[in-house]
Amino acid sequence: MIVTVDGPSGTGKSTVSRAVAQQLGLPHLDTGAFYRAATLAVLEAGESPEDANTVTSIVEEADIDQVDGTIRLNGRDVTDAIRQDPVNRHVSAVSSHPEVRRLLVERQRRWVATHGGSAVVEGRDIGSVVFPTAPIKIYLDARPEIRASRRAAERDMHLDDVAEALRRRDHLDTSRAASPLLVPKDAVVVDTSEMKFRDVVDLVISLATRGA
Ligand code: DC
């Protein structure tokens, strides 16, 4: 069984997909973390995230993996480093390059195959590109002001700064030419604005267990 969970940030996507995976006894794959680790590799190499050729060759060489819930870059635990500001600012540029996406999509599919073939997979293009034939596709959404306030609380940051960063990232993620963020055509859209975390998890599990 593959459950795809797509949507913008601040919708509860990560928390929900982790809880759903745990309850269904499935592995959970965070594909955003792959793009984040790729971005960290580019920044550590001192290269420009905009330069498609250089970025592609760095990603080709980089060993990016998710091991027991931690993210590894060439064997090093970068779980915390990929959530810091430099990566937040440049991850949209790195993930906009089609060749980078091709490489990472391949690795994401391989990860699921080597972890038993069933998983809860979260990201932006999972139901549309990575696993287009998945039987259960969820798209989590929430009003922009709700998403910003959740993110601000989570990271103890100023609301205006978070709202501005989210707007910028939403724009880049939805307007890029290669696999933009969109609602997969057969996905169930869940607006989490007024929902409790537990209710979102229960809803996704009931959709998953009755095959959406
Ligand atoms: O889910 P996240 O915030 O960790 O994702 C970080 C960035 O990676 C996000 O701005 C868009 C990109 N991304 C993507 O392009 N495709 C995915 N499947 C997952 C994330």
Side-chain angles (χ1 to χ4, degrees), residues 20 35 37 39 45 49 53 58 77 83 98 106 118 127 137-138 150 152 154 174 176 179 181 185 190 193 203:
V20 168
Y35 291 93
T39 306
N53 289 338
I58 291 172
D77 186 345
R83 305 282 160 200
E106 213 174 270
S118 291
K137 298 182 183 179
I138 310 290
R150 283 177 184 162
E154 212 174 84
T174 52
R176 69 172 175 235
S179 329
L181 170 66
K185 70 172 177 350
V190 180
S193 301
L203 175 61

Side-chain angles (χ1 to χ4, degrees), residues 160-191:
D160 292 345
D161 297 338
V162 177
E164 177 51 34
L166 267 187
R167 259 196 302 277
R168 199 179 132 264
R169 201 131 68 81
D170 280 356
H171 173 71
L172 292 167
D173 292 345
T174 52
S175 64
R176 69 172 175 235
S179 329
L181 170 66
L182 48 78
V183 181
K185 70 172 177 350
D186 38 1
V188 178
V189 179
V190 180
D191 186 330

Side-chain angles (χ1 to χ4, degrees), residues 77-93:
D77 186 345
V78 295
T79 314
D80 293 329
I82 61 167
R83 305 282 160 200
Q84 306 302 319
D85 205 44
V87 171
N88 290 340
R89 271 186 285 121
H90 296 291
V91 65
S92 290

Side-chain angles (χ1 to χ4, degrees), residues 6-7 9 13-14 30-33 35-36 83 91-92 95-96 101 108 122-126 130 151 155 169 173 176 179:
D6 289 300
S9 47
K13 203 165 34 132
S14 275
D30 174 5
T31 63
Y35 291 93
R36 288 174 174 275
R83 305 282 160 200
V91 65
S92 290
S95 57
S96 71
R101 304 199 66 84
Q108 291 156 15
E122 62 159 299
R124 302 289 195 288
D125 61 342
I126 310 306
V130 187
R151 268 283 143 117
R155 297 182 177 181
R169 201 131 68 81
D173 292 345
R176 69 172 175 235
S179 329

